[in-house]
Amino acid sequence: MGWLVGVDVGGTFTDFFACRPEDGATRIFKRPSTPHNPGEAIVRGLQEMAASLDVDPARIDRLCHGTTVATNALIQRRGGTVALVTTEGFRDLLEIGRQTRPHMYSLQLDHPAPLVPRRRRFEIRERMGPAGEVLTEPDEDGLTAVAEAVAASGAQSCAVCCLFSFVDPAHERRIADALKRRLPDLPLSLSSSVRPEFREYERFSTTVLNACLQPVIADYLAYLETETAALAPDAAIRIYQSSGGLMSVGTARTYPIRTALSGPAAGAVGAVHTARGAERPNVITLDMGGTSADVALIRGYDAGIGLDREVAGYPVRQPMVDIHTVGAGGGSIAWFERDGLLKVGPRSAGAEPGPACYGRGGTEPTVTDANLALGRLSPAGLAGGDLALDEGAARRAIEPAAQRLGFSVEKTAQGILGIVVANMVRAVRTISVERGLDPRDYALMPFGGAGPLHAVEVARVLGIREIVVPGAPGILCAQGLIVSDLKEEFVRSGRFALTAEGLLQIAGLLDGLEADARAWFDAEGVAPEDRGLTLSFDARYVGQNFELPVSFAGGSHGVLALPAGPDEIADVFHAEHERHYGFHSAGEPIEIVNIRIAATGRMAAVAAPVSGRNAVRAAEPAGHRPVWFDGDAAVETPVYWRESLAAGMAFAGPAVVEQLDSTTVVFPGDRAAVDEAGNLVIAVGQSETAAPGAAP
């Protein structure tokens, strides 16, 4: 095999991780992002990586890409112009929603305006009942009229959302046929294809978001395919999806909503891969980049999947890795609220102009400027010195805030970092304490360019005693891309009693789902021995509003393993209910409302660790510099280069560990050691030597 390359586009940097499976060779590379066209940074990065790291683009077999294009388009409301065709009487469903307030204690704060204004929402006379029975058949005059209305609206894409299409998609398909006859090049999003599940508001919203993204993602992918084909003609491009798996470019073009949390999901999968190497089944991840910080909780090497999320204020019903995001990144700007209090984020300097210390015109103080002013970042610059940092510019940016507060520049910088740490701590508590879980039972795994800079402070506040810093923390999202599998999900909705009779009904639907999965395996060219299937049910007690997923692993070679009977499913559901809510009701009847099959196509195995196994045997600092920690004066601190640290080496804080893609800060009183997988393990508040790989 040739090279496998993962590319993760962030708000500030675009990261590359290249691996050659035949000999385990790895390469890492970073370059500034190009927000006006994220694909430009990918193309330039491939060229620069080829020139500097001897990675021949012609020998790239697979290019895996995590993208923020969809998320940014929704946040900035710059998607395509969308039309909506729906069942007569449901034109205003997107505005009615669930009749809930976005904020419990604010009567003024409102939901964002629908992405489809009322003038581009068109009704058609059709109706299907909840069992799939046809109540009103759409006639040809109605189909022609609605197609003409969509054409006159000037829409760039169209969402088709009928009331009970998740039971039978026939009416949606007839509407789609009429639209294709009139507008053959118009991208269509059918709710029966995008999200064939009950709960019409969430299904409609997800389908509209998908339609909104289709023109944007189509243009982006066309550019990416054309430009990379000239560089790497044999590279198969795979796009990362929010559920933690790869998909083809064609699938991404049809279902762009699946990329809404593409990059963060890759980081969580990369963290699971790293956790296995470190033998830490339970970790809390802290992925801090230039714009935001993403946190996830991994239990038993499982990051968990959620189905109901909001993106830019809009409900999305899609399987997504369970991640919580806050506006806390290296580019987060410090500013004063009207009450005179200092805030940090969510507004970010991004890549252009970037923090003041980048020397690209930024003047507002950011988290990166604060780290540089405190000596935690090297004045020599980031990305191995390729991006020079101007300490004087950082101090000048912080100075106005320092004067307003009456503090020194250093004390103000400490305050900026304290605020951003508090923001991240709240995010971690959201996924742990608020779910009844104690973060002290987990190790903290920081990554992203800025995660290891702040990990110790976050851990101290939460009482976490161990930090595991991956070998290439700033590239972990890109690394997660190439250790992921192809993934697709198939679902059927209904209401099935958890009885022997109900399971017979389910068995009939499973035959169709398995056939869909086999067709997908064949289309993607997945060999039989690399096929995997997982069966899950969304179950609830009869009378409950919401359901819980219960999963059953499939057999080998893509053969589905069915539960033995209703009792086995009930036992798993009761245990899941107990875990989520602290109780279960063994005598209550249970019903299943969704049947899911997750199909995975295993990709080539990849050697993951990036370690210093061939480095010198003594942990010798490369130099020293004054660094401000949490005291009133700087401390003369040894600075280590990560590549010089081999497995078994240990040293006490204070220390700074620098590498191409990130910087790790070890506070006074802490102890750091390198484990066998090349991870830097920090024992927080333990000055005695900690054995690498020991449990916290």
Side-chain angles (χ1 to χ4, degrees), residues 26-64:
T26 57
R27 304 284 191 272
I28 61 175
F29 187 74
K30 293 178 79 78
R31 76 164 324 276
S33 294
T34 49
H36 64 282
N37 179 7
E40 187 177 312
I42 297 175
V43 176
R44 289 184 185 177
L46 289 173
Q47 294 169 334
E48 294 163 359
M49 185 171 65
S52 61
L53 297 179
D54 190 30
V55 177
D56 183 1
R59 291 209 62 212
I60 296 176
D61 288 344
R62 189 166 76 234
L63 181 68
C64 306

Side-chain angles (χ1 to χ4, degrees), residues 276-335:
R276 290 186 184 278
E279 298 181 355
R280 302 297 197 284
N282 301 320
V283 300
I284 292 173
T285 68
L286 173 62
D287 177 8
M288 185 179 182
T291 304
S292 62
D294 306 305
V295 297
L297 188 138
I298 295 170
R299 285 203 294 179
Y301 303 121
D302 180 14
I305 297 290
L307 287 169
D308 292 298
R309 296 291 300 268
E310 281 195 354
V311 177
Y314 300 102
V316 176
R317 178 79 174 174
Q318 282 285 331
M320 298 182 178
V321 175
D322 193 4
I323 294 169
H324 185 68
T325 302
V326 291
S332 294
I333 294 170
W335 55 286

Side-chain angles (χ1 to χ4, degrees), residues 418-600:
I419 294 170
V420 80
V421 165
N423 292 340
M424 291 186 285
V425 166
R426 281 196 293 272
V428 173
R429 284 178 171 153
T430 298
I431 63 164
S432 57
V433 176
E434 293 182 14
R435 299 179 183 180
L437 303 171
D438 191 340
R440 293 173 296 183
D441 296 334
Y442 295 75
L444 183 66
M445 183 178 291
F447 52 95
L453 274 167
H454 306 276
V456 168
E457 291 169 297
V458 171
R460 285 183 168 183
V461 174
L462 293 167
I464 294 175
R465 294 168 291 170
E466 186 180 56
I467 298 169
V468 180
V469 184
I475 313 290
L476 193 68
C477 289
Q479 183 179 347
L481 292 168
I482 64 172
V483 299
S484 298
D485 297 326
L486 288 171
K487 192 171 185 179
E488 185 61 83
E489 188 195 62
F490 306 91
V491 61
R492 295 286 188 276
S493 274
R495 292 185 65 180
F496 311 97
L498 189 55
T499 60
E501 293 78 10
L503 287 188
L504 285 176
Q505 292 178 279
I506 290 171
L509 292 175
L510 283 176
D511 291 339
L513 288 172
E514 282 192 90
D516 292 343
R518 285 193 298 270
W520 177 79
F521 284 133
D522 293 339
E524 293 292 342
V526 180
E529 63 272 14
D530 294 328
R531 300 180 178 187
L533 290 177
T534 300
L535 171 66
S536 63
F537 302 117
D538 292 347
R540 64 188 183 186
Y541 292 118
V542 174
Q544 277 187 315
N545 263 349
F546 299 99
E547 54 278 353
L548 288 173
V550 292
S551 298
F552 302 88
S556 60
H557 292 72
V559 177
L560 196 62
L562 296 176
D567 290 344
E568 182 181 352
I569 299 173
D571 289 344
V572 176
F573 173 73
H574 291 320
E576 195 69 12
H577 202 280
E578 184 79 32
R579 186 169 72 87
H580 274 78
Y581 302 117
F583 77 97
H584 71 278
S585 302
E588 292 293 323
I590 299 169
E591 64 180 358
I592 291 169
V593 294
N594 288 314
I595 308 160
R596 303 179 191 278
I597 288 182
T600 55

Side-chain angles (χ1 to χ4, degrees), residues 99-120:
Q99 299 186 11
T100 57
R101 296 200 304 270
H103 194 284
M104 185 181 296
Y105 301 109
S106 174
L107 297 178
Q108 290 76 36
L109 189 64
D110 202 357
H111 291 285
L115 290 171
V116 187
R118 199 170 194 270
R119 66 180 182 276
R120 289 202 303 272

Side-chain angles (χ1 to χ4, degrees), residues 99-444:
Q99 299 186 11
T100 57
R101 296 200 304 270
H103 194 284
M104 185 181 296
Y105 301 109
S106 174
L107 297 178
Q108 290 76 36
L109 189 64
D110 202 357
H111 291 285
L115 290 171
V116 187
R118 199 170 194 270
R119 66 180 182 276
R120 289 202 303 272
R121 298 182 223 143
F122 308 106
E123 296 181 342
I124 186 166
R125 186 171 178 78
E126 71 82 32
R127 195 61 179 261
M128 192 172 284
E133 68 275 22
V134 176
L135 304 179
T136 302
E137 190 84 27
D139 58 40
E140 288 302 320
D141 290 342
L143 292 169
T144 301
V146 80
E148 289 297 331
V150 171
S153 73
Q156 296 173 293
S157 61
C158 182
V160 182
C161 305
C162 296
L163 188 59
F164 283 105
S165 61
F166 65 89
V167 179
D168 186 341
H171 288 183
E172 283 194 354
R173 290 175 180 173
R174 286 191 62 188
I175 295 168
D177 290 341
L179 289 168
K180 287 175 183 176
R181 287 195 298 269
R182 177 64 178 83
L183 301 161
D185 297 326
L186 184 72
L188 300 178
S189 290
L190 276 61
S191 74
S192 54
S193 299
V194 175
R195 199 74 243 155
E197 296 183 24
F198 79 116
R199 291 200 176 97
E200 63 272 9
Y201 172 51
E202 289 76 12
R203 175 163 50 90
F204 281 31
S205 174
T206 304
T207 305
V208 166
L209 291 176
N210 192 74
C212 178
L213 292 171
Q214 279 179 313
V216 177
I217 295 296
D219 290 345
Y220 174 68
L221 292 178
Y223 171 87
L224 192 64
E225 281 187 302
T226 301
E227 296 298 320
T228 55
L231 278 173
D234 295 328
I237 300 177
R238 300 294 186 184
I239 307 299
Y240 210 69
Q241 50 187 324
S242 307
S243 61
L246 296 163
M247 59 182 167
S248 66
V249 171
T251 302
R253 192 178 282 115
T254 305
Y255 304 113
I257 190 60
R258 296 186 184 182
T259 68
L261 288 177
S262 173
V269 172
V272 170
H273 192 70
T274 301
R276 290 186 184 278
E279 298 181 355
R280 302 297 197 284
N282 301 320
V283 300
I284 292 173
T285 68
L286 173 62
D287 177 8
M288 185 179 182
T291 304
S292 62
D294 306 305
V295 297
L297 188 138
I298 295 170
R299 285 203 294 179
Y301 303 121
D302 180 14
I305 297 290
L307 287 169
D308 292 298
R309 296 291 300 268
E310 281 195 354
V311 177
Y314 300 102
V316 176
R317 178 79 174 174
Q318 282 285 331
M320 298 182 178
V321 175
D322 193 4
I323 294 169
H324 185 68
T325 302
V326 291
S332 294
I333 294 170
W335 55 286
F336 285 93
E337 181 63 275
R338 286 181 296 176
D339 56 10
L341 296 177
L342 183 66
K343 310 284 186 180
V344 179
R347 193 162 60 93
S348 173
E352 297 291 344
C357 61
Y358 283 12
R360 296 176 177 169
T363 58
E364 297 178 282
T366 67
V367 172
T368 297
D369 294 315
N371 276 305
L372 182 60
L374 294 173
R376 301 184 186 184
L377 283 176
S378 171
L382 303 175
D386 289 343
L387 179 59
L389 299 181
D390 186 343
E391 185 176 359
R395 297 181 68 87
R396 287 192 297 272
I398 298 171
E399 183 65 38
Q403 291 178 354
R404 181 168 177 173
L405 294 170
F407 292 160
S408 66
V409 168
E410 290 81 9
K411 182 61 69 175
T412 304
Q414 287 175 326
I416 290 171
L417 298 188
I419 294 170
V420 80
V421 165
N423 292 340
M424 291 186 285
V425 166
R426 281 196 293 272
V428 173
R429 284 178 171 153
T430 298
I431 63 164
S432 57
V433 176
E434 293 182 14
R435 299 179 183 180
L437 303 171
D438 191 340
R440 293 173 296 183
D441 296 334
Y442 295 75
L444 183 66

